[in-house]
Amino acid sequence: MNTTGGTEEAHFVRVFDDAEAIARAAVETFARLAHEAIEERGTFSVALSGGTTPRRVYELLASDEQRERVQWPKVHVFFGDERAVPPDHAESNYRMASEALLSRVPIPSENVHRIEGLGDAAANASDYESVMRGFFGDTEWPRFDLVFLGMGDDGHTASLFPETTALEESRVWVASNWVEKLGVWRITLTAPAINAARRVLFLITGASKAERLREVLNGARDPKRLPSQIIRPRDGALEWYVDRAAASKLEG
Ligand code: 6PG
């Protein structure tokens, strides 16, 4: 593992041998941040990412080896985005997280804040914002302790896809986003809501992401085309855990 990137706390890129090493490091970070947040504030708020990469992190967190390290009754789980499918659908981010983690740890069901994927996307987005405001209170932006993110081969993150309207959002915490190339609606946290977090952690693996990751980290700033570039915590840390294959084209 080697580390490159900006200032001490602001921006880190850590390169790991493989996806398993990334998953183990992400579990360490989760457990440490959960402990610190619960010590300081009594709760730990985390937004989970979907897709395939984080599943191993969730499985490890639920393992006999790791489960006891976290005070699950004091953890509040949110989601960075969701697909327009029911919670038991194979494409559901909630289902993936529930199977890999949430159904296997003692987290109260009322602490798991699922995004409704079925029905009117705009209504589901504003309903979810109300749920988040119920937890975070009367504040301009939600201050997550940790936000997990992934990056698609096209540079999207959460459901902030290239050239989509949700990228422009500067007022709402949660947006419905029409993704033309997929022909679907998605529900996603907006960039300002993610950028209010204490820590944002990207988990990125595989050679198919190498060129896009080079562009996102070393290329010209173009967040409309490379939405992962829009993630810059205003008062928090940004970390990238990437494997050697995904890091293969990074400069420096
Ligand atoms: C989703 C995710 C999305 C994901 C990337 C990477 O709902 O699909 O939230 O942003 O993180 O598409 O997905 P993989 O981890 O499967 O490469």
Side-chain angles (χ1 to χ4, degrees):
M1 188 265 301
N2 65 28
T3 306
T4 60
T7 58
E8 178 55 30
E9 184 65 280
H11 188 160
F12 255 112
V13 179
R14 298 170 66 182
V15 181
F16 295 83
D17 291 340
D18 55 29
E20 183 66 14
I22 285 181
R24 291 192 174 278
V27 165
E28 288 308 312
T29 299
F30 185 106
R32 175 172 55 78
L33 294 176
H35 178 73
E36 290 168 6
I38 291 167
E39 284 271 298
E40 285 164 35
R41 292 177 290 278
T43 61
F44 176 61
S45 57
V46 58
L48 301 182
S49 58
T52 55
T53 308
R55 176 186 279 271
R56 183 64 184 141
V57 180
Y58 304 160
E59 288 168 351
L60 281 172
L61 277 169
S63 66
D64 297 345
E65 190 194 337
Q66 303 288 346
R67 180 183 320 121
E68 310 300 324
R69 297 177 62 191
V70 176
Q71 297 179 63
W72 293 103
K74 297 184 177 168
V75 175
H76 280 261
V77 166
F78 295 83
F79 287 83
D81 69 324
E82 189 56 281
R83 292 96 180 261
V85 295
D88 58 358
H89 189 283
E91 286 292 306
S92 162
N93 288 339
Y94 167 77
R95 176 177 161 181
M96 183 274 282
S98 178
E99 287 174 352
L101 173 64
L102 304 171
S103 63
R104 303 168 57 207
V105 295
I107 187 168
S109 57
E110 62 270 23
N111 288 18
V112 176
H113 309 284
R114 176 177 75 80
I115 297 175
E116 180 53 68
L118 275 187
D120 179 68
N124 290 341
S126 70
D127 288 351
Y128 199 62
E129 179 160 337
S130 308
V131 167
M132 289 173 64
R133 286 183 181 280
F135 175 79
F136 288 103
D138 181 20
T139 173
E140 189 188 6
W141 297 104
R143 184 121 169 99
F144 283 104
D145 294 306
L146 175 62
V147 175
F148 279 124
L149 291 176
M151 183 190 80
D153 295 1
D154 61 358
H156 82 262
T157 190
S159 279
L160 298 168
F161 283 81
E163 315 296 343
T164 56
T165 56
L167 292 171
E168 315 296 330
E169 282 296 346
S170 60
R171 280 179 319 101
V172 297
W173 297 9
V174 188
S176 54
N177 200 23
W178 174 252
V179 184
E180 183 63 37
K181 68 176 180 183
L182 302 178
V184 297
W185 283 100
R186 290 280 190 99
I187 313 282
T188 184
L189 295 185
T190 60
I194 295 169
N195 285 333
R198 289 187 172 82
R199 188 171 296 260
V200 176
L201 176 51
F202 275 92
L203 307 176
I204 302 173
T205 63
S208 69
K209 310 238 170 120
E211 177 51 26
R212 199 66 69 200
L213 187 60
R214 183 196 66 71
E215 286 188 295
V216 166
L217 292 177
N218 305 140
R221 189 156 172 74
D222 184 1
K224 274 202 170 154
R225 190 175 66 81
L226 301 165
S228 292
Q229 282 186 335
I230 210 171
I231 305 303
R232 287 191 168 176
R234 287 185 294 281
D235 172 20
L238 174 59
E239 291 196 82
W240 307 74
Y241 290 3
V242 302
D243 69 359
R244 287 198 187 293
S248 59
K249 295 187 177 172
L250 289 182
E251 290 149 24

